[in-house]
Amino acid sequence: MSIIEEAKKALLKYPLCDHCLGRLFASRGFMISNEERGRSIKNVLFMEALNSSAGMYDEGVLTALARSGHRESLLFMRRIGKAIEPQSCFICGNLFDKINTNSIVNRVKEIINEQGIEFSSFQVGSVVSRMIIDNEVKVSTELGITSSESIKREINRMIGKALADSLGKRYSRLNPDVVVRVNTGDGSVSVEVMPVYIEARYRKLIRGIPQVGDASVASVAKETVIELKPLDVVLHFAGVEGSEVRVLGLGRPMVIEAIRPLSRNIREGTIIKNGVQLLNLKAAGKVQVREIKSKAGELRRVYRVLVKLYGNVNDEQLKSLEDYFSNRQIRQSMGRGKRVKLIYGLKVIPVSGSILELIIDTQGGFSIRRFITSEGTEPSISGTLGVKVIPIEVDILGIWY
């Protein structure tokens, strides 16, 4: 069935405005708006229904067109003495006549200027009544039309074009700086500022620095985004460590999320303050947050642990310890369950007397201290050597995926 035949079938059953008629065939033609497409279809139907050379006309089609607000059909029906009152569009209730894009653009400008929002890209989201959505589905389903698009998509595109032309900003479907939300029911307009995400790695160069709290990694990270004027700051870390643990090497991955920032100019590079070094600050996205949360326990780590032995061990035992913990699984109790992790390798370096340095290459997601002391962990350093072993210092030398 041709577009014209399908359109005739639709209009004979429902009064439809130009927008909603054209939208039924949105995927069957490009470089033309739904309104223009709907108007053109009605014009073709009008010409087909009005065969002036034979002095004949299709009154049913002309009545349907007039009922749908087609100007020429209304005039013709009036000329033959039949006054037809245009009806509201069955789908949208003539919603497009009520949408004032100039008013929306002006309101967006007011909000942006009042709040001092800086942005370079935007997206539009609209709220449309459930009844309109249901009517739209009803028409396309009953008529078996599969070439339509949603009314929300058309409204968003129409408002988006007006905003882009007026503001000189770029429309972004995937990663907008702000989202303009329009409620077509009450006409309200709001501007949602999207978060700024900054990817980084942090190093703790001295001991005694917690990850969060006062004088912490978090406090230094929050200071780096103060120029963005955010409403709040949320930090996402790839794992945790105690305040007594130094983080060296390339540092621990993290993402700084600035909530509702008024500025979006990110300070990139490296920052060092109060024993905390933030490395490779750069723009990121929500995908990095998801990656950090999902892979935190899988991150491979290399620890340097200084330990004290409370008992005698010989060189052969230390060599056996290295061999034993080569690609060895360990089990550590965590609450009511157990975690199984892999120790990739262990190197033992005697320091002096009962002091040893252990370089441990391992999966993350478990307590390295409890692995040393044997608390809830099997096998362990202490259990394997058969003597009490206490960690004195712990450093993280490397963390990577």
Side-chain angles (χ1 to χ4, degrees):
M1 190 180 296
S2 70
I3 290 178
I4 298 303
E5 290 171 333
E6 287 182 311
K8 180 192 294 185
K9 184 178 177 182
L11 289 172
L12 286 172
K13 190 166 187 179
Y14 300 106
L16 300 174
C17 69
D18 294 348
H19 287 272
C20 291
L21 178 63
R23 200 169 57 255
L24 290 175
F25 310 100
S27 67
R28 297 167 70 173
F30 301 96
M31 306 301 292
I32 183 172
S33 70
N34 289 329
E35 183 182 25
E36 291 169 329
R37 185 183 297 108
R39 174 70 179 170
S40 298
I41 290 171
K42 288 181 180 179
N43 284 340
V44 172
L45 285 170
F46 175 74
M47 289 186 288
E48 287 188 350
L50 187 62
N51 191 338
S52 58
S53 62
M56 300 173 62
Y57 56 86
D58 188 328
E59 185 173 338
V61 172
L62 291 169
T63 299
L65 286 168
R67 187 181 58 167
S68 292
H70 184 247
R71 180 176 175 274
E72 288 74 15
S73 297
L74 285 166
L75 292 173
F76 178 83
M77 295 303 289
R78 193 174 300 158
R79 180 188 293 180
I80 64 173
K82 296 189 176 182
I84 305 295
E85 285 296 323
Q87 297 179 16
S88 293
C89 176
F90 174 79
I91 291 178
C92 74
N94 295 352
L95 176 64
F96 287 92
D97 292 341
K98 304 167 189 173
I99 296 175
N100 187 327
T101 55
N102 289 333
S103 176
I104 293 170
V105 168
N106 289 336
R107 180 58 186 142
V108 170
K109 287 180 177 179
E110 286 177 7
I111 295 172
I112 290 168
N113 292 333
E114 288 171 1
Q115 300 182 14
I117 301 170
E118 296 178 11
F119 70 103
S120 58
S121 64
F122 72 96
Q123 187 184 101
V124 176
S126 57
V127 177
V128 178
S129 77
R130 183 74 255 175
M131 184 180 71
I132 291 177
I133 302 297
D134 291 343
N135 288 345
E136 182 174 56
V137 173
K138 176 181 173 67
V139 171
S140 59
T141 301
E142 283 187 3
L143 300 175
I145 295 174
T146 59
S147 55
S148 62
E149 71 171 353
S150 72
I151 189 170
K152 291 180 68 172
R153 186 170 181 177
E154 180 179 7
I155 291 171
N156 294 345
R157 183 171 60 245
M158 183 174 70
I159 296 172
K161 186 177 185 307
L163 286 168
D165 290 343
S166 179
L167 300 175
K169 304 293 184 180
R170 175 175 53 86
Y171 190 93
S172 172
R173 290 179 58 194
L174 299 178
N175 190 30
D177 293 340
V178 300
V179 176
V180 175
R181 302 201 181 278
V182 179
N183 188 319
T184 60
D186 60 20
S188 61
V189 178
S190 63
V191 177
E192 179 183 356
V193 181
M194 305 308 289
V196 165
Y197 297 96
I198 304 171
E199 188 179 14
R201 281 178 173 256
Y202 74 83
R203 302 174 73 212
K204 287 163 48 176
L205 306 179
I206 58 177
R207 303 190 194 282
I209 301 175
Q211 196 177 63
V212 296
D214 297 332
S216 64
V217 174
S219 62
V220 174
K222 289 180 178 180
E223 284 186 33
T224 64
V225 296
I226 195 169
E227 295 173 356
L228 303 185
K229 303 174 186 175
L231 181 66
D232 196 8
V233 178
V234 178
L235 303 172
H236 307 276
F237 297 105
V240 297
E241 78 284 327
S243 60
E244 75 286 353
V245 177
R246 291 190 301 176
V247 180
L248 306 174
L250 295 178
R252 184 185 292 279
M254 67 178 296
V255 174
I256 307 168
E257 180 180 355
I259 305 295
R260 208 179 188 285
L262 298 182
S263 175
R264 310 186 77 85
N265 295 319
I266 296 172
R267 185 199 306 179
E268 297 187 339
T270 298
I271 295 170
I272 184 167
K273 185 174 183 180
N274 299 333
V276 175
Q277 187 177 31
L278 300 182
L279 303 167
N280 303 323
L281 286 128
K282 59 184 178 181
K286 204 165 187 176
V287 63
Q288 279 74 28
V289 174
R290 288 195 294 267
E291 186 176 69
I292 275 185
K293 290 182 179 296
S294 65
K295 295 184 177 180
E298 303 173 13
L299 292 175
R300 188 165 177 170
R301 296 162 169 83
V302 174
Y303 292 93
R304 169 194 168 273
V305 185
L306 203 63
V307 301
K308 180 176 175 60
L309 306 181
Y310 289 83
N312 295 322
V313 296
N314 56 42
D315 292 344
E316 185 176 340
Q317 286 177 286
L318 298 181
K319 180 64 173 67
S320 296
L321 187 71
E322 291 182 337
D323 295 338
Y324 183 74
F325 283 108
S326 175
N327 291 315
R328 172 73 60 176
Q329 280 190 341
I330 66 166
R331 290 171 174 80
Q332 190 171 90
S333 60
M334 293 287 180
R336 296 182 179 179
K338 288 185 179 291
R339 289 183 181 175
V340 178
K341 297 294 179 177
L342 184 63
I343 306 296
Y344 298 108
L346 171 69
K347 183 173 180 58
V348 180
I349 305 171
V351 177
S352 64
S354 60
I355 306 298
L356 300 177
E357 182 179 86
L358 306 179
I359 306 298
I360 307 169
D361 184 0
T362 178
Q363 281 185 319
F366 72 100
S367 169
I368 196 71
R369 288 183 173 276
R370 292 171 59 197
F371 168 62
I372 302 293
T373 63
S374 83
E375 180 188 348
T377 307
E378 180 64 34
S380 66
I381 299 295
S382 180
T384 304
L385 288 176
V387 298
K388 181 180 179 181
V389 183
I390 299 296
I392 302 171
E393 293 180 352
V394 179
D395 294 329
I396 298 175
L397 302 182
I399 301 176
W400 63 91
Y401 293 103

